[in-house]
Amino acid sequence: HLMIEVKGLSKKFGDTLAVDNISFSLSRGEVLGFLGPNGAGKSTTMKMISGFLSPTSGTAVINGYDVRNKPIEVKRAIGYLPEGAPMWADMSVGGFLNFISAVRGFKSDDAEKKVRKAAELTQLNDVLMQPIETLSKGFKRRVGLAQAMLHDPEILILDEPTDGLDPNQKHQVRNLIQKMAHKKAIIISTHILEEVEAVCTRAMIIAKGKLLTDATPRELLKKSRHYNAVSIAVPNTEKAQEVLEELDSVRRVQPIGENWLMAYPKNKGPINEEVAQALRSARLKINEIRTESGRLDDVFRTITRQS
């Protein structure tokens, strides 16, 4: 079921092209990660998709509604977490969430239920009476998340949802996104690469307003120079390096710290068996051996540098 269709979306600010002809579509059950350096156009794209910024050209269709002429219907269908903190810092957390539920058109019991559920999911129950301005950055982020999820929208657009959270809170928010993922279409922008591996079914890399890659995290990992590389702990690294450099399937071998070597495959194929075999044949002891699954930061750097 197609929920978001982005067609040739572009945005100019004066002479600067912040978003340059981006197109993609997203179905229910997909979590799309927007990746890119700061200033790549991620937030601008999200603002256009959620109807908060009008496109210079192109459009986005959300649940059948075009953002250009049906912005209210679009805003009804989505939950949006912008950059930064929620507005009205002098309101209490509970007051703010009650206000949002009133704006969303919920009445008494229904409104109370919605606020309670959102506060529970984002673990805000202990701070409902506190003014937003007294909260830490992590708690403010969770208030923002709670307001985005309040009306249980089918589409969530979250701009750096874990910004400012400590590792435990990041984990909670990622779990929450995973839990909701099967029933919704979710877009998150992030520059935390492990977040993409943790929660996204698809990753898009954007740089200078252009869409450079659209692939699954696994497909992206395959582009990494570390994909299927093998790291080996051996007592005699010099001898081991000589042995491994003789292998046809090995592109190069380099020391990576005391008593560790990394062997890179020639054609990204698996080489762990062959490496282990060669070292055993040469009567070399192996303390530990592991195959690398690839690293997103490699791929990210390569792709954004090329642009």
Side-chain angles (χ1 to χ4, degrees):
H1 178 54
L2 208 56
M3 301 186 84
I4 297 177
E5 241 183 312
V6 175
K7 308 173 185 174
L9 205 56
S10 297
K11 182 69 183 175
K12 267 186 132 165
F13 294 108
D15 290 337
T16 311
L17 196 53
V19 174
D20 185 358
N21 196 19
I22 285 181
S23 299
F24 65 89
S25 51
L26 199 65
S27 306
R28 191 191 300 279
E30 289 194 277
V31 182
L32 172 63
F34 266 172
L35 284 167
N38 289 338
K42 303 188 295 288
S43 295
T44 306
T45 303
M46 294 176 121
K47 282 179 189 146
M48 287 191 283
I49 294 172
S50 48
F52 284 89
L53 195 58
S54 55
T56 306
S57 60
T59 190
V61 178
I62 311 295
N63 254 3
Y65 297 111
D66 192 314
V67 290
R68 290 170 309 184
N69 47 28
K70 297 274 190 217
I72 300 293
E73 287 81 353
V74 165
K75 291 185 175 89
R76 242 179 230 135
I78 63 174
Y80 172 51
L81 170 66
E83 305 171 85
M87 299 170 15
W88 303 299
D90 51 349
M91 269 186 173
S92 71
V93 173
F96 177 67
L97 293 178
N98 283 323
F99 169 73
I100 296 291
S101 74
V103 171
R104 288 277 182 193
F106 297 114
K107 302 278 186 289
S108 51
D109 281 2
D110 201 15
E112 203 178 311
K113 223 186 321 201
K114 291 273 194 264
V115 169
R116 219 183 19 246
K117 179 145 194 234
E120 219 161 277
L121 284 172
T122 49
Q123 294 169 319
L124 287 170
N125 288 330
D126 297 347
V127 296
L128 286 174
M129 309 307 286
Q130 255 175 265
I132 291 172
E133 62 194 354
T134 64
L135 300 176
S136 68
K137 190 173 175 185
F139 265 113
K140 283 180 182 155
R141 211 73 202 115
R142 278 146 73 179
V143 174
L145 202 55
Q147 67 73 29
M149 290 163 37
L150 191 90
H151 55 303
D152 194 22
E154 290 193 281
I155 294 164
L156 279 174
I157 297 180
L158 310 174
D159 204 344
E160 300 203 3
T162 60
D163 185 34
L165 273 57
D166 69 31
N168 289 338
Q169 296 166 335
K170 280 193 169 90
H171 184 69
Q172 286 159 1
V173 169
R174 287 172 196 167
N175 276 354
L176 181 58
I177 291 170
Q178 277 164 330
K179 250 199 255 136
M180 300 185 295
H182 65 285
K183 322 186 284 231
K184 301 187 190 299
I186 302 176
I187 297 180
I188 64 172
S189 85
T190 178
H191 51 246
I192 307 166
L193 296 166
E194 84 246 20
E195 193 144 276
V196 177
E197 287 184 76
V199 302
C200 297
T201 57
R202 253 169 89 191
M204 284 190 176
I205 297 180
I206 298 178
K208 302 197 175 89
K210 278 186 166 56
L211 177 56
L212 303 178
T213 309
D214 177 359
T216 66
R218 173 152 282 182
E219 286 164 347
L220 278 183
L221 285 173
K222 283 187 175 167
K223 295 178 190 225
S224 165
R225 64 192 177 92
H226 287 93
Y227 183 70
N228 270 336
V230 176
S231 44
I232 317 112
V234 281
N236 185 346
T237 42
E238 279 169 34
K239 180 92 200 301
Q241 183 158 353
E242 272 170 39
V243 170
L244 296 180
E245 280 171 347
E246 293 291 294
L247 293 175
D248 282 344
S249 57
V250 171
R251 187 165 54 86
R252 67 190 177 101
V253 183
Q254 74 180 97
I256 49 163
E258 206 174 335
N259 293 19
W260 278 90
L261 288 175
M262 175 91 78
Y264 295 91
K266 244 184 205 138
N267 54 6
K268 305 250 169 124
I271 54 169
N272 50 342
E273 283 298 316
E274 215 177 321
V275 163
Q277 199 88 49
L279 294 173
R280 276 199 293 270
S281 305
R283 300 248 180 286
L284 286 165
K285 187 174 179 306
I286 304 172
N287 292 334
E288 201 178 324
I289 181 164
R290 44 183 128 122
T291 304
E292 298 272 334
S293 58
R295 299 180 188 172
L296 275 182
D297 54 350
D298 286 355
V299 183
F300 181 77
R301 270 201 305 274
T302 310
I303 291 176
T304 51
R305 269 210 199 111
Q306 283 164 359
S307 83

